[in-house]
Amino acid sequence: TVGKGKLIYEVLDPAGGIYGVLDGLVAARLDLGHAEVLTAHAFGPGDWFGEAAFITGTVRQVTAAALTECSLAHVPFAELQEICDDNPLGWKWIGIQSAISTGVAARVARNLLIPDPRQRVRSVLRDLTGPTGSRLSLPLTQSDLAEMCALSRSAISKILSELEGKGLCQRQYGCIEISAGLVRET
């Protein structure tokens, strides 16, 4: 269990094992330099992260921190190495996870390149619902979402108000409920 706001690991930490989210949200934060850190994505239940440092044996490339109180599964480096050495399917699973993470990074980059802020917010919200679109209750603050969308808190509030008026989301304290209609949009 990791408390809200607590670090799981930081950029440049030594290579370690991987983590799976059982409950809660974990922020993937990028160091932009000059003491500026940006939350780029949030991992939720069913997501795994941290495999890049395991694969390369080098330092962590991003910071992972609990956006909410989280329950995590952790497979330490040595145990994961043993699993992969004993069973080639372990390496296949790590490769699949790496491909999934590459897809997440590509979607984060794509979203930040969407010039229309309304479309950017919609796209980020859809991505946060997970690969099956089933995470409809996002325990995110509007400030968290604003950071992921590279927008101000007031801009996010205005856009969420518009989406709420269309029945596509509902804001609650520290949570954004997403409608299935928003998830199905293309």
Side-chain angles (χ1 to χ4, degrees):
T1 301
V2 180
K4 180 180 180 175
K6 299 294 182 186
L7 290 175
I8 298 161
Y9 56 76
E10 284 189 277
V11 68
L12 302 180
D13 276 357
I18 60 171
Y19 295 84
V21 182
L22 303 174
D23 188 50
L25 287 180
V26 173
R29 295 191 171 141
L30 304 175
D31 184 347
L32 304 178
H34 307 294
E36 188 177 357
V37 177
L38 171 75
T39 297
H41 184 69
F43 295 107
D47 292 336
W48 286 84
F49 60 95
E51 77 287 343
F54 171 73
I55 292 169
T56 63
T58 59
V59 297
R60 298 286 187 180
Q61 299 172 17
V62 299
T63 294
L67 272 178
T68 65
E69 183 167 311
C70 296
S71 294
L72 303 176
H74 178 238
V75 183
F77 191 96
E79 284 83 351
L80 190 56
Q81 184 69 55
E82 187 177 315
I83 290 167
C84 291
D85 288 348
D86 292 346
N87 184 347
L89 289 178
W91 280 113
K92 181 178 180 181
W93 183 85
I94 292 294
I96 290 168
Q97 183 54 49
S98 181
I100 290 168
S101 294
T102 299
V104 168
R107 287 189 303 279
V108 167
R110 176 209 61 207
N111 288 341
L112 291 175
L113 293 172
I114 296 172
D116 181 332
R118 287 167 180 77
Q119 291 306 317
R120 187 178 328 141
V121 170
R122 287 169 117 100
S123 187
V124 168
L125 286 172
R126 277 192 301 274
D127 285 349
L128 291 173
T129 64
T132 62
S134 60
R135 262 185 243 138
L136 299 178
S137 182
L138 302 173
L140 285 175
T141 67
Q142 291 181 53
S143 295
D144 293 331
L145 182 60
E147 198 171 306
M148 286 183 236
C149 295
L151 295 169
S152 70
R153 167 75 173 65
S154 62
I156 283 291
S157 181
K158 188 181 294 185
I159 292 168
L160 288 176
S161 181
E162 291 170 11
L163 291 174
E164 214 167 14
K166 295 176 182 176
L168 296 174
C169 78
Q170 183 178 17
R171 294 175 287 180
Q172 298 175 2
Y173 182 77
C175 184
I176 302 170
E177 300 286 335
I178 306 300
S179 79
L182 179 65
V183 175
R184 287 191 301 267
E185 283 185 352
T186 56

